């Protein structure tokens, strides 16, 4: 299901703000940047699901999710990261990162926003709340970027493990094609007489062989 998106001016109106003030706020937190008279999306803005639309009358403009969370990333002084900053690092959306963190059991979905779990707290997650909207969110120590579980989950989504899986399938196909039929002296089966001779030699020498398992 496609998320409904609205322009920055419409977003400001929905939140009872002056459009100019919302543009300035988005610029301050690094979601957009000014280029002469035009506002451009940054990587952080794109990760927050901001995107460009084209109007015959007004030209290019930016739209946002209606429930856009505006998090002041610079306040984390490079040591604590929001889901949006993590998403920029892994080149995924902040929504997808929160979904991964939820599946890992590090955060829990609140009515609005996210709450850190006990597991998340042990990994350095810190509970925060947007001072303007009251929406809860979680920030993380930058070491989370090297967490094995997080990296594995991201790789699963981005397809980085496809090559590894292909290799695993090749090994599986090899095992199916060349069945272990030759019984070695230590009782287990190998796939050829040559393997059996080597296995028997290792067995007689008192060396446990795992070469052909």
């Amino acid at each position: 299901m496609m998320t409904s998106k609205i322009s920055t001016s419409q977003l400001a109106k929905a939140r009872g703000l002056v459009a100019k003030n919302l543009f300035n706020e988005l610029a301050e937190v690094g979601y957009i940047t000014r280029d002469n008279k035009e506002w451009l999306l940054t990587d952080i803005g794109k990760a927050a699901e901001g995107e460009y639309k084209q109007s015959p009358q007004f030209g290019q403009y930016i739209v946002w999710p209606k429930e856009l969370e505006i998090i002041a990333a610079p306040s984390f002084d490079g040591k604590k990261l929001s889901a949006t900053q993590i998403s920029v690092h892994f080149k995924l959306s902040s929504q997808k990162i929160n979904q991964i963190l939820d599946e890992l059991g590090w955060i829990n979905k609140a009515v609005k926003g996210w709450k850190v779990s006990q597991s998340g707290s042990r990994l350095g997650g810190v509970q925060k709340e947007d001072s303007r909207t009251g929406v809860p969110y979680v920030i993380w120590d930058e070491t989370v970027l090297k967490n094995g579980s997080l990296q594995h989950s991201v790789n699963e989504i981005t397809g980085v493990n496809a090559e590894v899986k292909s290799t695993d399938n090749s090994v599986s196909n090899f095992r199916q094609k060349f069945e272990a039929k030759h019984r070695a002296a230590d009782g287990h089966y190998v796939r050829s007489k040559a393997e059996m001779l080597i296995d028997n030699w290792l067995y007689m020498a008192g060396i446990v062989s795992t070469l052909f398992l």
Side-chain angles (χ1 to χ4, degrees), residues 31 41 56 72 74 123 157 193 211:
Y31 285 31
L41 281 167
L123 290 169
I157 290 175
K193 290 184 178 180
L211 292 176

Side-chain angles (χ1 to χ4, degrees), residues 140-176:
W140 304 88
D141 188 89
E142 60 184 351
T143 56
V144 77
L145 299 177
K146 298 181 180 180
N147 181 278
S149 296
L150 177 58
Q151 290 180 338
H152 176 75
S153 296
V154 169
N155 289 343
E156 286 292 324
I157 290 175
T158 57
V160 171
N161 287 338
E163 183 177 345
V164 175
K165 289 181 179 178
S166 176
T167 302
D168 291 342
N169 289 335
S170 298
V171 173
S172 178
N173 292 337
F174 172 82
R175 291 181 182 277
Q176 291 176 3

Side-chain angles (χ1 to χ4, degrees), residues 88-102:
V88 172
H89 176 82
F90 288 116
K91 295 180 172 60
L92 293 171
S93 69
S94 57
Q95 285 82 356
K96 182 61 68 176
I97 289 297
N98 277 324
Q99 179 184 336
I100 291 173
L101 297 176
D102 184 25

Side-chain angles (χ1 to χ4, degrees), residues 5-10 23 38-39 41 50-64:
K5 296 184 179 182
I6 56 178
S7 68
T8 310
S9 297
Q10 290 173 316
F23 274 105
E38 185 178 16
W39 287 107
L41 281 167
E51 63 180 49
Y52 294 112
K53 290 291 184 181
Q54 199 72 28
S55 167
Q57 183 178 359
F58 302 106
Q60 179 175 277
Y61 64 100
I62 299 172
V63 294
W64 308 93

